[in-house]
Amino acid sequence: MAVDYLVIVVYLAGMLAMGWWGMRRARSKSEFLVAGRRLGPAMYSGTMAAIVLGGASTIGGVGLGYQYGLSGAWMVFTIGLGLLALSVFFSARIARLKVYTVSEMLDLRYGGRAGVISGLVMWAYTLMLAVTSTIAYATIFDVLFDMNRTLAIVLGGSIVVAYSTLGGMWSITLTDMVQFVVKTIGVLLLLLPIAVVKAGGFSEMKAKLPTEYFDPLGIGGETIFTYVLIYTFGMLIGQDIWQRVFTARSDTTAKWGGTVAGTYCLAYALAGAVIGTAAKVLYPKLASPDDAFATIVKEELPVGVRGLVLAAALAAVMSTSSGALIACATVANNDIWSRVRGVVKAPAAENAEDHDEVKGNRAFILIMGLAVICTAIAIDNVVEALTVAYNLLVGGLLVPILGGLVWKRGTVHGALASVIVGGLAVVGLMAIYGILANEPVYYGLLASLAAYLVVSFATPATDAAVLTAWRERLAGRAPEPESELASEPAATPR
């Protein structure tokens, strides 16, 4: 294992080095939170694919393939569909808004007063998303070093917190690009073909497994519908995803770069399911489906290659963890703390205190990172934590966000009612039906929609001046903040 250890250590050291390099570039709020809104198509596509394909997509995707066969691809497949929908239908308009958070978008669209409550819901979602990614370090470091769970979480989490705190979105973008390359090589180019060959090829796999393992709908229609509702719609509105859209240098980059990333996700989904199916042939009696990835890597791959594939799994976890962490800190600082202190600025407005804002956002990443590590140590069930996160996100924020983008009659009172009713309904129904039940998100979403429609029709329409300013912003005709323009360097990363 010495060679494998060396590969992992070099990889982790590289992540920290990029964090240090990113610190030298992140000198303004725009640079720190959204990489100066200057990413070109190649870098944008790679980093977007990296953040949406985390530990759940890699380790969990292989586990679903082990349990259900090819239909186990549906969870990650719906993530790819959500990213495609976001990129094709909404990303260009989102990029033109020139904001930092989803709550700022809601304030722009509805004329203020929607940000604090929506910020609290989004903060809870991003926090739990970061926690679930951090928990996954325990699985990987256990395979690598037979490490204690708590120590593994602290080690992996500390590395992510370190490079995220140092350079903000620039560090995360650079590390995500490396992680994208490592994942592509490790999972798609190495593990996938090796697993299929070790299992005897597709003909041998079909001969040894039940026919339902090769049924595209074998996982069940209701499960697929729930995946679409939670993950496809979740991709449309998550702060972690929107914050990456904000990094695009143009609306065209956001649209087509995201489309490439979404297509990559579809391929990654199928690869994970095939690897899991091959693992079922090789190891038919594993204690847990989630052990399939670690087992096939540990037992079937040669020295060196094994280290690279484990680095790929680590890359998948780190990319999602760092993206969720900076999103959580951004929401906590810009949407909650600044409003509690009464320091509320116009969305995307910056001033001469820009450098101090970088320090403030850096401090919030450190604080949120410590909170994430402590919470991850205290929580055992990754699936339950992830379910709570997405139920809150979809049940509380899907309707007011998409409603604001497509329906001009929606009002601020309708948006607030939608967030409150949907969020409370989801929490209450999870208490009644159980966290993993489908009913909370179904009924919570319906309650949110009903509240939005009823209250919007019952209250005065949004002020015409607010809607005019909103349309100007969506069309990209509003001027960019002066401090962002001033921070533009001569060279544009591609």
Side-chain angles (χ1 to χ4, degrees):
M1 293 287 288
V3 175
D4 297 325
Y5 292 160
L6 180 61
V7 171
I8 299 296
V9 170
V10 169
Y11 167 77
L12 294 176
M15 296 300 99
L16 291 174
M18 288 184 182
W20 183 261
W21 186 88
M23 182 178 66
R24 301 173 62 186
R25 299 192 63 113
R27 299 184 183 277
S28 71
K29 180 179 178 181
S30 174
E31 295 284 348
F32 191 81
L33 294 182
V34 291
R37 308 187 195 276
R38 294 190 284 109
L39 297 192
M43 188 169 285
Y44 178 86
S45 298
T47 56
M48 182 63 86
I51 187 176
V52 299
L53 296 174
S57 300
T58 304
I59 299 171
V62 171
L64 287 172
Y66 183 89
Q67 189 172 1
Y68 298 104
L70 298 186
S71 67
W74 272 104
M75 184 188 77
V76 183
F77 200 82
T78 55
I79 290 174
L81 292 178
L83 185 52
L84 285 171
L86 174 70
S87 302
V88 173
F89 298 113
F90 299 109
S91 63
R93 285 185 282 176
I94 293 170
R96 288 195 291 264
L97 290 175
K98 302 297 182 184
V99 295
Y100 292 108
T101 68
V102 175
S103 295
E104 287 182 2
M105 166 265 170
L106 292 174
D107 278 348
L108 273 174
R109 166 60 182 82
Y110 295 110
R113 294 179 294 175
V116 177
I117 295 176
S118 61
L120 286 170
V121 175
M122 189 63 78
W123 175 78
Y125 157 72
T126 53
L127 178 71
M128 295 308 293
L129 184 62
V131 166
T132 58
S133 301
T134 304
I135 292 173
Y137 295 128
T139 301
I140 299 170
F141 282 112
D142 178 57
V143 175
L144 283 171
F145 308 116
D146 192 24
M147 188 178 291
N148 172 269
R149 177 182 182 275
T150 298
L151 183 59
I153 289 172
V154 171
L155 175 60
S158 297
I159 293 171
V160 170
V161 171
Y163 72 70
S164 301
T165 301
L166 286 172
M169 187 59 81
W170 267 124
S171 295
I172 293 171
T173 295
L174 294 170
T175 54
D176 276 1
M177 200 61 201
V178 173
Q179 289 158 358
F180 169 73
V181 173
V182 172
K183 275 194 290 194
T184 301
I185 296 173
V187 176
L188 296 183
L189 302 184
L190 292 176
L191 183 58
L192 175 61
I194 290 173
V196 172
V197 170
K198 292 284 187 177
F202 285 104
S203 58
E204 188 69 15
M205 290 162 64
K206 286 185 176 180
K208 290 187 176 181
L209 295 173
T211 56
E212 55 263 28
Y213 264 72
F214 302 92
D215 179 0
L217 304 178
I219 199 169
E222 184 179 355
T223 299
I224 294 172
F225 177 74
T226 303
Y227 284 158
V228 170
L229 197 61
I230 293 178
Y231 296 114
T232 300
F233 285 116
M235 287 294 107
L236 298 180
I237 58 175
Q239 169 69 23
D240 53 322
I241 308 302
W242 277 41
Q243 199 156 343
R244 293 311 173 95
V245 176
F246 300 151
T247 66
R249 72 166 179 232
S250 68
D251 52 5
T252 303
T253 297
K255 181 175 182 178
W256 294 111
T259 301
V260 171
T263 305
Y264 177 90
C265 291
L266 303 183
Y268 200 87
L270 184 59
V274 171
I275 293 167
T277 305
K280 183 67 175 179
V281 173
L282 295 168
Y283 309 100
K285 296 182 179 181
L286 292 178
S288 168
D290 286 340
D291 293 337
F293 180 89
T295 301
I296 197 169
V297 168
K298 191 173 184 179
E299 301 296 334
E300 301 297 336
L301 298 186
V303 172
V305 173
R306 179 172 51 209
L308 183 60
V309 173
L310 286 172
L314 198 58
V317 175
M318 283 187 162
S319 57
T320 300
S321 180
S322 59
L325 176 59
I326 193 172
C328 179
T330 302
V331 170
N333 188 17
N334 290 265
D335 294 336
I336 300 173
W337 177 243
S338 64
R339 295 170 191 268
V340 170
R341 291 191 307 154
V343 184
V344 183
K345 303 176 185 177
E350 298 184 38
N351 54 30
E353 298 177 356
D354 199 61
H355 184 66
D356 291 335
E357 290 200 46
V358 172
K359 290 182 177 179
N361 281 291
R362 184 173 281 136
F364 264 87
I365 290 180
L366 180 59
I367 294 168
M368 291 298 108
L370 294 175
V372 165
I373 291 172
C374 293
T375 306
I377 292 171
I379 293 178
D380 288 326
N381 196 311
V382 179
V383 176
E384 288 190 358
L386 193 62
T387 302
V388 169
Y390 274 98
N391 281 356
L392 282 172
L393 178 70
V394 174
L397 291 178
L398 178 67
V399 171
I401 292 172
L402 294 190
L405 288 170
V406 303
W407 190 45
K408 66 179 182 180
R409 185 60 182 82
T411 68
V412 65
H413 302 290
L416 287 171
S418 179
V419 174
I420 294 170
V421 171
L424 291 177
V426 164
V427 172
L429 290 168
M430 282 192 293
I432 296 171
Y433 289 100
I435 290 176
L436 299 180
N438 294 326
E439 287 84 356
V441 71
Y442 293 167
Y443 300 141
L445 189 56
L446 288 174
S448 179
L449 177 61
Y452 184 67
L453 294 174
V454 170
V455 177
S456 290
F457 279 123
T459 53
T462 303
D463 185 83
V466 172
L467 289 177
T468 299
W470 167 252
R471 285 192 291 269
E472 289 291 306
R473 207 63 172 270
L474 279 180
R477 291 191 289 266
E480 292 187 39
E482 292 182 5
S483 58
E484 288 197 14
L485 294 173
S487 69
E488 293 282 347
T492 302
R494 297 177 185 274

